[in-house]
Amino acid sequence: MRPWWQDAVGYAIFPLSFQDSDGDGWGDINGITSRLDYMQWLGIDLIWLGPLYRSPLIDAGYDIADFEAIDPRFGTLADFDRMLAEIHHRGMRLVMDFVPNHTSDQHEWFKQSRSSRTDPKRDWYIWRDGKSDGQPPSNWIDNTKQPAWTWDEATGQWYYHLFLPSQPDLNLRNPDVIDAIERGMAFWLDRGIDGFRLDSAMNLFEDEFLRDEPMDDDLDSEPPGWMDHVFSSDRPETHRLIARFRRLLDRYGDKVFIGEVQAPLARFMRYYGQTEPMLHLPFNTQVMKTKPWKARKVDASIEQFMQLLPEHGWPNWVIGSHDVPRLASRLGPAQARVASFLLLTLPGTPFIYYGDELGLERSKFSPEQAVDPYEPFGLGRDAERGPMPWSNEANGGFTTGKPWLPLGENWKSCNVETAREDQRSMLHLHRQLIALRQDHPALRGKGYEPAWGNDELLAFYRTGDGKRYLVAANLSMTPQSMPLEGDGKILVSTALSRSENVQGHVSLEPNEAVLIQLASES
């Protein structure tokens, strides 16, 4: 039998935006618990939950102030335990976001670290003297494209932060820090969670000599612009530490270890592990990042991933997240259906970003409504993090108070209540595709073969269990046709309107995808 996560359909929840249970306008744990029946109805197996830890919530909880506590805005540990029990009662699993790269500057560790150069926790973070000319220790930049070093006047040194100055990087060369991080992981594993999604997995270590980064000649090299991240990302020590974390999870048995890895594919694949196991599922965003959204480009993204996947690796696919524009806004409603169709018919484990199953679009808001601290740098992500719309009621049924962010622009037509009543909605497309995965084991497996395509149409075969299926997707505004190897029957189309037998060829309407079960060879 395969591990459970290989057969799973994942669902990503941004906790602040899923459901508010107490009217304060912020999503919370009890709100999530109240919506578990919806996820069970949809067919979800694995819930990936964003950070719930104690936090000042400057960066939506990715600025952790205590790895072993729930932030009161979300609820209590008792609320969490009840939610976890209800998830398991429904046959689903829970994976938590975990952020070992950095903490909040409000974490007690950092407060102690910055209190004095002689404090025992001084070396828990990356403190350095500047260069002889008074400049920061290196030319590294953070992910806002600003200098990655902040001067601390009280102790007369610089500290390093890949993210915001309020998110100082931990010094993971210090064994005491690693021990403390692993205690935090064990705290949640002991409570019964089913795994972790490791945030910023590539960036756990930096060059110990703090060598300056070379500038990238192909990009804007005006300081502090883009540079090649050779010395501040994807270091060899990172692989060893992730392998150590994996050993911790393996001691707990049937767990899954997922990780955020943003790297060219050849480097990405190393995070499955080479000499020892690392991540079960490094998040694959290849298709999500494909530009332009054209058949040849998307086909190439899929093919490259499958060709480079190591024999022991298991494929996975992500086409939406809290860091990129909403799928329906990015591609338009019609092609969002096609992209979701591909997501749920490609080999391996798919992950749905909450609201994408509805065709939810980005939120529209004025600058004064912005919450994301990256907004001043032109990198704001609030528009893709809007509240989940459940009904046509005020605030989409998300809250009885004032939502912390505006709802998606099309929420009145794209909400759960409305979509459940429309048998051809995006929501029912997701539910039907998930059900087909359950009914046809080959669709949950790894069997994949490329197929004929052109500039407007891509196709691939799914194989396994003695069965053969064809997925064909028209990414254009004109009708397309492709030859078939023999006969077959259409199981589902993006319009949820076809179930006919096909012979010799299949025709596709604009913006249509189909799944065909091919006749067995005599």
Side-chain angles (χ1 to χ4, degrees):
M1 291 182 64
R2 291 197 298 257
W4 62 267
W5 46 267
Q6 292 187 353
D7 286 322
V9 173
Y11 189 82
I13 292 178
F14 197 70
L16 290 168
S17 291
F18 201 61
Q19 178 66 64
D20 172 25
S21 70
D22 57 12
D24 66 358
W26 301 79
D28 51 41
I29 291 171
N30 288 336
I32 294 168
T33 303
S34 73
R35 297 299 186 178
L36 293 178
D37 286 344
Y38 163 74
M39 286 175 274
Q40 185 180 32
W41 171 85
L42 183 57
I44 298 303
D45 307 289
L46 182 166
I47 297 170
W48 159 37
L49 202 53
L52 297 168
Y53 312 97
R54 187 181 299 278
S55 168
L57 293 172
I58 292 171
D59 190 20
Y62 286 91
D63 46 336
I64 296 173
D66 189 336
F67 286 96
E68 299 178 21
I70 295 290
D71 193 86
R73 188 170 289 177
F74 295 118
T76 66
L77 271 175
D79 295 332
F80 177 87
D81 290 340
R82 175 174 162 265
M83 175 186 69
L84 181 60
E86 292 292 333
I87 288 171
H88 288 162
H89 176 70
R90 288 165 176 79
M92 297 186 288
R93 311 286 185 121
L94 178 66
V95 169
M96 291 180 69
D97 238 327
F98 198 75
V99 192
N101 179 73
H102 55 268
T103 70
S104 165
D105 60 0
Q106 299 305 303
H107 198 298
E108 286 302 317
W109 298 347
F110 189 70
K111 290 180 180 179
Q112 294 175 46
S113 183
R114 79 184 311 177
S115 67
S116 165
R117 287 199 187 195
T118 60
D119 188 90
K121 284 192 168 53
R122 183 67 171 185
D123 194 39
W124 281 45
Y125 294 83
I126 302 171
W127 294 93
R128 294 292 186 273
D129 293 327
K131 295 179 178 178
S132 58
D133 60 358
Q135 294 299 306
S138 71
N139 70 347
W140 301 349
I141 58 173
D142 64 22
N143 66 351
T144 69
K145 307 179 188 178
Q146 304 302 308
W149 297 92
T150 289
W151 175 253
D152 182 64
E153 190 67 39
T155 58
Q157 280 190 313
W158 302 81
Y159 68 86
Y160 174 69
H161 50 87
L162 174 64
F163 293 88
L164 300 169
S166 59
Q167 294 168 292
D169 273 43
L170 285 162
N171 177 17
L172 293 167
R173 298 182 188 280
N174 184 330
D176 292 337
V177 175
I178 296 178
D179 289 345
I181 289 295
E182 290 192 326
R183 285 194 298 272
M185 297 174 75
F187 178 85
W188 300 103
L189 291 166
D190 289 339
R191 299 192 94 83
I193 71 163
D194 301 290
F196 288 109
R197 179 263 192 187
L198 193 65
D199 184 70
S200 194
M202 288 181 59
N203 302 309
L204 304 182
F205 284 89
E206 305 76 29
D207 177 51
E208 61 181 322
F209 303 112
L210 307 185
R211 286 173 284 184
D212 278 354
E213 296 282 21
M215 302 308 295
D216 189 332
D217 293 334
D218 295 329
L219 297 167
D220 175 18
S221 60
E222 291 296 319
W226 289 104
M227 58 178 63
D228 284 329
H229 291 277
V230 176
F231 300 118
S232 56
S233 183
D234 195 27
R235 304 298 298 165
E237 300 93 331
T238 296
H239 294 248
R240 292 193 287 270
L241 181 57
I242 292 175
R244 173 173 168 165
F245 289 159
R246 168 67 181 273
R247 291 194 295 272
L248 170 63
L249 264 73
D250 286 348
R251 291 198 291 273
Y252 282 83
D254 199 17
K255 307 298 181 185
V256 65
F257 200 20
I258 303 168
E260 178 190 22
V261 178
Q262 307 286 349
L265 271 178
R267 289 162 58 196
F268 173 96
M269 294 300 176
R270 296 187 302 172
Y271 283 82
Y272 281 103
Q274 294 173 294
T275 59
E276 55 183 332
M278 291 171 57
L279 299 171
H280 292 109
L281 299 174
F283 260 171
N284 169 24
T285 59
Q286 287 296 115
V287 171
M288 182 176 76
K289 293 185 174 181
T290 300
K291 294 180 181 179
W293 183 257
K294 300 292 185 183
R296 292 284 192 200
K297 293 284 288 184
V298 177
D299 197 16
S301 293
I302 295 169
E303 178 72 7
Q304 286 177 330
F305 182 88
M306 294 304 297
Q307 288 292 332
L308 289 173
L309 183 72
E311 184 64 28
H312 66 278
W314 187 257
N316 71 94
W317 309 88
V318 178
I319 61 171
S321 87
H322 59 272
D323 286 331
V324 299
R326 280 276 179 189
L327 181 65
S329 297
R330 203 164 71 237
L331 301 181
Q335 278 299 312
R337 291 179 79 105
V338 173
S340 296
F341 198 100
L342 294 174
L343 172 71
L344 292 167
T345 54
L346 281 163
T349 303
F351 288 86
I352 301 165
Y353 181 56
Y354 83 99
D356 280 355
E357 77 273 21
L358 302 173
L360 189 63
E361 295 177 355
R362 305 183 80 199
S363 302
K364 189 174 183 179
F365 57 93
S366 57
E368 57 269 19
Q369 292 176 295
V371 175
D372 190 353
Y374 288 83
E375 185 67 30
F377 304 101
L379 302 170
R381 301 154 296 178
D382 288 334
E384 24 284 346
R385 299 176 172 187
M388 180 77 166
W390 297 99
S391 69
N392 283 316
E393 298 174 11
N395 303 319
F398 165 72
T399 181
T400 57
K402 180 182 178 182
W404 78 290
L405 283 174
L407 277 74
E409 196 164 6
N410 63 339
W411 72 267
K412 290 186 178 180
S413 59
C414 284
N415 59 71
V416 172
E417 185 178 272
T418 300
R420 287 184 74 156
E421 293 173 355
D422 178 1
Q423 294 300 311
R424 293 188 177 180
S425 67
M426 179 82 140
L427 179 61
H428 278 284
L429 174 63
H430 278 76
R431 189 168 187 247
Q432 188 163 333
L433 285 166
I434 292 170
L436 283 167
R437 286 173 57 90
Q438 296 302 318
D439 293 341
H440 298 262
L443 298 178
R444 304 196 304 272
K446 195 176 178 180
Y448 161 89
E449 296 173 14
W452 177 90
N454 58 30
D455 290 338
E456 286 79 32
L457 185 147
L458 71 87
F460 52 87
Y461 295 105
R462 298 299 317 282
T463 58
D465 224 30
K467 304 289 179 61
R468 189 171 173 85
Y469 303 81
L470 175 71
V471 177
N474 183 357
L475 273 65
S476 77
M477 296 293 292
T478 58
Q480 299 294 321
S481 179
M482 73 169 290
L484 283 184
E485 295 179 2
D487 304 336
K489 178 180 175 60
I490 295 177
L491 299 180
V492 65
S493 71
T494 43
L496 297 176
S497 61
R498 299 178 68 179
S499 60
E500 73 266 22
N501 293 321
V502 286
Q503 296 180 321
H505 77 283
V506 60
S507 298
L508 289 93
E509 294 298 315
N511 304 309
E512 182 181 32
V514 295
L515 171 64
I516 301 171
Q517 183 170 358
L518 298 172
S520 301
E521 295 182 2
S522 315

